[in-house]
Amino acid sequence: MNGRVALVTGASRGIGRAVAERLAAAGAEVVVHYHRDKTGAEETLARIGGRGFVVGAELGVPGDADEVRRQVHAALEGRALDVLVNNAAAQPAGPLATDTEEAFDRLMAVNVRAPYFLIQRLLPMLSDGGRIVSISSVATRMANPVQTSFAMTKGALETMTRTLALELGPRGITVNAVAPGATRTEANAAFFETPGLSELIAGHTALGRLGSGEDVADVVAFLASPAARWVTGQVVDASGGLYLGVA
Ligand code: NAP
């Protein structure tokens, strides 16, 4: 990935940070996007030896994609972007019974509208042969009633992936998604400490443990690499085989 430039949204922590680190390790320069956590984004940048820069913008609000495009364009000074990783997302908003129209609209705005228009606005800067990778979730194939609206947003992302892959194929741009399962990060570590939870999930996972950001980042890095030139329109599960069936 030497000489390539990648934008990773939501790279101030968690899976986004792991992706930034993995792409940088492969030689890419990384645009580290954040919303609230500028310190976290700067820490990510420091961890990749300063090979890139940070851009800060809230996603899910009017003008978000234009704001990201403006900052990326200014920082790249006319150079092309080669890889876009749509990683930033809002968290599940609970079951149908307690969901609200406001929380639903927010999820759709951050998880669906923002990546869609980010792609639209960044396409003129994206090099032919470029890569778009969006982070989905196993929630699209695994019914979990506390995540219905969240799963709907990821389903939309997967549909977008297939259709844009066809549309952007003539430019050699590949469009894929990666679907993590239960992935332990700094932000959710306390949640997974809930007594018995990690053991329960590990017991339903073919490979017998929770995932890490690095587990997911390696898959993203492959899809972002030249080696994945013949893979497009796909959703790659990166869950260690969560809920594949009854053993
Ligand atoms: P995380 O730790 O909660 O980090 C989310 C990142 O997204 C942060 O950098 C945050 O920025 C940014 N972000 C959130 N809302 C934003 C907004 N409105 N505007 C701009 N940036 C925003 O997330 P994660 O657990 O690493 O998950 C990363 C991706 O993997 C998400 O798409 C998630 O749905 C997916 N996923 C995760 C898991 C899991 O178990 N962790 C499982 C399945 C799928 P700031 O911190 O700067 O505000």
Side-chain angles (χ1 to χ4, degrees):
M1 306 267 309
N2 285 331
R4 299 199 175 213
V5 183
L7 164 62
V8 183
T9 66
S12 57
R13 61 171 192 250
I15 292 171
R17 169 179 282 174
V19 169
E21 291 184 343
R22 182 63 182 74
L23 293 176
E29 187 179 341
V30 183
V31 184
V32 176
H33 163 267
Y34 71 96
H35 171 211
R36 290 199 173 89
D37 191 2
K38 186 177 184 190
T39 306
E42 287 173 344
E43 192 186 324
T44 302
L45 188 63
R47 288 163 74 132
I48 62 173
R51 283 186 40 80
F53 46 89
V54 302
V55 300
E58 180 175 11
L59 299 175
V61 293
D64 52 1
D66 277 332
E67 178 57 21
V68 173
R69 189 203 56 79
R70 187 189 65 73
Q71 291 188 44
V72 173
H73 188 262
L76 288 181
E77 297 175 327
R79 288 185 299 148
L81 188 67
D82 302 294
V83 177
L84 166 62
V85 180
N86 286 310
N87 166 78
Q91 301 292 331
L96 177 66
T98 55
D99 206 353
T100 64
E101 291 177 358
E102 290 73 22
F104 182 92
D105 287 349
R106 173 81 181 151
L107 264 178
M108 288 291 166
V110 177
N111 296 10
V112 180
R113 196 183 70 198
Y116 179 72
F117 284 104
L118 208 49
I119 292 171
Q120 185 201 59
R121 300 299 205 275
L122 291 173
L123 261 182
M125 293 172 60
L126 197 65
S127 57
D128 288 353
R131 301 276 185 264
I132 297 171
V133 183
S134 299
I135 308 300
S136 181
S137 167
V138 291
T140 59
R141 67 164 169 84
M142 224 187 76
N144 180 349
V146 301
Q147 297 190 347
T148 302
S149 55
F150 172 82
M152 291 165 71
T153 68
K154 297 299 190 178
L157 211 53
E158 293 182 6
T159 301
M160 176 187 80
T161 295
R162 276 187 293 277
T163 54
L164 288 186
L166 188 62
E167 184 174 347
L168 301 181
R171 285 186 55 194
I173 296 171
T174 67
V175 188
N176 291 291
V178 172
T183 309
R184 200 193 306 263
T185 65
E186 307 94 315
N188 64 25
F191 171 71
F192 284 125
E193 293 309 319
T194 308
L197 181 62
S198 294
E199 294 75 9
L200 180 74
I201 295 170
H204 289 293
T205 302
L207 296 178
R209 63 171 174 83
L210 267 63
S212 67
E214 292 70 26
D215 289 327
V216 178
D218 276 344
V219 181
V220 175
F222 165 67
L223 292 170
S225 77
R229 64 193 173 278
W230 205 230
V231 181
T232 196
Q234 302 305 303
V235 179
V236 180
D237 185 289
S239 73
L242 181 58
Y243 287 111
L244 287 182
V246 180

